Amino acid sequence: MEAASLSRIGLAGLAVMGQNLALNIAEKGFPISVYNRTTSKVDETLDRAHTEGQLPLTGHYTPRDFVLSIQKPRSVIILVKAGAPVDQTIAALAAHMEPGDTIIDGGNEWYENTERRMVEASEKGLLYLGMGVSGGEEGARNGPSMMPGGSYEAYSNIKEIVEKVAAQVEDGPCVTYIGEGGSGNFVKMVHNGIEYGDMQLISEAYDVLKNVGGLSNDELAEIFDEWNKGELESFLIEITADIFKVKDEHGDGELVDKILDKTGMKGTGKWTVQQAAELSVAAPTIAASLDCRFLSGLKDERVAAAEVLAAAGMKEEVGTIRSGIDKKRLIDDVRQALYASKICSYAQGMNLLRAKSVEKNWNLNFGELARIWKGGCIIRAVFLDRIKKAYQRNPNLASLVVDPDFAKEMVQRQAAWRRVVGLAVSAGISTPGMCASLSYFDTYRRARLPANLVQAQRDLFGAHTYERVDRAGSFHTEWTKLARKNA
Ligand SMILES: *[C@@H]1O[C@H](CO)[C@@H](O)[C@H](O)[C@H]1NC(C)=O
C-alpha cells in the first residue's frame, strides 16, 4: 500500500459511539480506517460513510489489515466495553503495531486499568491514552467533549484531530490534555458523578413542582423552557423540557408518566462515590443521587412499604400544603434551590478532582476542565463558564462556594433554597440531593460545628485525646471520674 493512501488514524469497535466518532473524524477531513470483529459492523459503517457525504473512511476485516492501513506513527482509538474486551482488543491490535504507535481507549474505563495497560504498552514501546468521551451518540457524531490523559507525546500526535472533532465553544475546542496516567478516565468518571447529581436535582425540582405545586406536564415543559433561558441554561434542562412534551402513543397523557420509576446505571457514579470516600472528600450530593438510584431499584419493596405505612396511619401531607401554595413563588424558589444545590454538587466534584490530583501529582487545571465541559458533554451548561472564571481568578480556590461571585449567589438564594427544602420535608416529598447540598453548605460555612462533642466522646471511651481552642497540644481527660465526682 502506498503511503499516500494510508489513513491518518484508526478506530476499532463500531458500536454506536464508535461509528459516530469515526464518521465525525472522517467528516473533519481526516482519513480513517475502521475495524470490528463483527464484519457487518464494518459494512454498516462503510454504508453510513457513503450516505452521510462520501466521507474518507475505509473498512478493514482483520486486525492486521486494519493496523497496516494507518500511517506511522499510528494512532488507534478503541471504543469497546470497559474491562476484558479492552484487553482483548489491545492484544489483537498490538501484535501488529510498532514502537512509537499509540493506543487510545475512548471508553468509560476504570483509571487503574488504564494505568496498568499503560505500563504493559510501554513494554512494547507503545504509547497510551485513556480518553473520556462524553456527549452520547449525538455528541460523538457532531462534537463531543473529550478528556485525554496519559502520554503527552501521544496527545501531540492526535491534537489537530481531536481539536477539530470536539465540540467548539467561544473559547476553544472542548478538549485539552488532562494530565498523566489515568487522569483522563478519572476526570470523565467525576464528570459522570456530577451528571448523576444534576439529574437527581432536576428530578427533585420536578417532584416538588408536580406534587407540591400541582403543576401539569404542560406547565413543567413551559417552566423548564423558561429556565433554559437563564442561569440554569444547560443540555439537561433543555432535554427535560422536551421530555414533558412527548405524548404517550399507547394511551392518554404524556409518556413521562408511564415510565417505570427505576433508574439504571453503569457504574461511574458508584466509582465516584467510592473514590470520594477513599480520599476523605465529602461528596454528599453525588452520594445522595447514587443512593436514590439504589432505592429506586426497590420498586416492589417501595410499593409494599407504602401499603404498610398507609395501613399504619401514614397520611399524605401534600394535599393540605398544596392548598395554601403560591405557585409563582414556588416556581421561582425551586429555580433558585436547584441552582444553589448545583453549585454545591460541582464544588464536591471539583474538590474530589483536586484531592486526586494532589495524590497522583496530575496537576489538573480546574478552569480548563470547566471549559471543556461547556460544550459537547451531558453536563454542558452556561454556568460552567462562571466556574472556569472562578478557577482562573484563583487556581487554589478552596471551594466554589467561597469564590466571591458564587458566595454572593449562594447568599442571595439561600432563603428560597431553605423554603423549598422545608416545604418538601413537611410535605413528605424527599429531596435528598437538595438536602445534601444545603447541609453541605451549612456545614462547610459554619466556623464552629458540634464536632467538639464527638471529640469529647471519643476521648471518654477511647482515650483518643482532643485539642483545645485556646491552647496548643493534645489533651486527655478522665471524663467519667470527673463527672461523677462533680455530680
Ligand atoms: C465489534 O462489534 C461487537 C458487536 O457490536 C462488539 O461486541 C465488539 O466488542 C466490537 N469490537 C471489536 C473490536 O471487535
Side-chain angles (χ1 to χ4, degrees), residues 60-331:
H60 303 270
Y61 299 91
T62 69
R64 185 171 182 278
D65 280 353
F66 168 64
V67 170
L68 295 185
S69 71
I70 303 162
Q71 77 185 43
K72 295 192 237 179
R74 303 182 181 94
S75 298
V76 179
I77 300 173
I78 57 180
L79 264 167
V80 298
K81 241 174 84 93
V86 177
D87 289 303
Q88 287 153 15
T89 308
I90 291 172
L93 300 177
H96 310 285
M97 295 174 79
E98 294 167 65
D101 290 353
T102 296
I103 293 165
I104 303 151
D105 178 9
N108 271 331
E109 187 54 277
W110 172 237
Y111 82 100
E112 285 179 330
N113 285 345
T114 292
E115 298 194 335
R116 166 177 59 80
R117 289 175 190 135
M118 221 162 250
V119 173
E120 292 164 2
S122 75
E123 284 158 7
K124 299 189 182 96
L126 299 177
L127 310 178
Y128 201 95
L129 287 171
M131 180 169 77
V133 180
S134 176
E137 297 170 24
E138 203 274 338
R141 181 65 183 86
N142 298 312
S145 175
M146 290 183 280
M147 295 150 248
S151 158
Y152 187 75
E153 187 188 337
Y155 177 71
S156 307
N157 290 340
I158 58 158
K159 185 169 186 275
E160 60 161 353
I161 302 177
V162 289
E163 285 187 346
K164 273 210 170 145
V165 163
Q168 309 289 322
V169 289
E170 70 282 359
D171 42 8
C174 292
V175 62
T176 191
Y177 175 69
I178 301 292
E180 291 185 350
S183 60
N185 293 127
F186 195 90
V187 166
K188 173 62 183 357
M189 177 197 80
V190 174
H191 162 286
N192 286 21
I194 291 173
E195 180 183 310
Y196 274 50
D198 275 354
M199 293 169 79
Q200 174 65 28
L201 291 170
I202 290 172
S203 76
E204 292 173 15
Y206 157 63
D207 201 6
V208 171
L209 291 175
K210 178 187 163 92
N211 289 310
V212 181
L215 270 66
S216 67
N217 289 327
D218 280 350
E219 290 173 301
L220 285 162
E222 203 178 301
I223 284 151
F224 274 80
D225 271 335
E226 192 59 40
W227 286 356
N228 200 37
K229 293 178 191 133
E231 64 190 11
L232 286 171
E233 182 183 340
S234 59
F235 172 70
L236 285 169
I237 294 286
E238 181 191 333
I239 63 165
T240 303
D242 285 344
I243 286 168
F244 293 125
K245 296 171 192 165
V246 175
K247 300 273 175 241
D248 179 19
E249 57 172 350
H250 298 295
D252 291 341
E254 288 76 34
L255 179 57
V256 67
D257 293 322
K258 309 289 172 64
I259 296 178
L260 183 66
D261 48 334
K262 255 172 128 167
T263 314
M265 65 186 118
K266 288 190 176 159
T268 42
K270 189 191 263 185
W271 290 345
T272 305
V273 174
Q274 284 171 331
Q275 280 295 298
E278 203 68 55
L279 292 157
S280 304
V281 174
T285 312
I286 300 172
S289 65
L290 184 69
D291 289 340
C292 254
R293 291 196 183 196
F294 296 154
L295 288 168
S296 82
L298 307 177
K299 174 72 175 177
D300 297 344
E301 279 185 47
R302 288 187 286 114
V303 170
E307 280 171 21
V308 171
L309 288 160
M314 178 98 192
K315 298 248 183 323
E316 289 286 351
E317 303 289 344
V318 181
T320 50
I321 288 170
R322 192 193 281 176
S323 58
I325 220 84
D326 174 348
K327 241 181 174 180
K328 236 184 126 176
R329 170 153 146 177
L330 178 70
I331 294 165

Side-chain angles (χ1 to χ4, degrees), residues 438-452:
L438 182 55
S439 300
Y440 178 78
F441 177 67
D442 278 335
T443 306
Y444 185 68
R445 71 173 175 79
R446 286 178 70 203
R448 182 144 175 96
L449 291 172
N452 52 328

Side-chain angles (χ1 to χ4, degrees), residues 12-13 35-38 41 80 89:
Y35 165 71
N36 199 97
R37 210 176 38 218
T38 313
K41 291 276 163 196
V80 298
T89 308

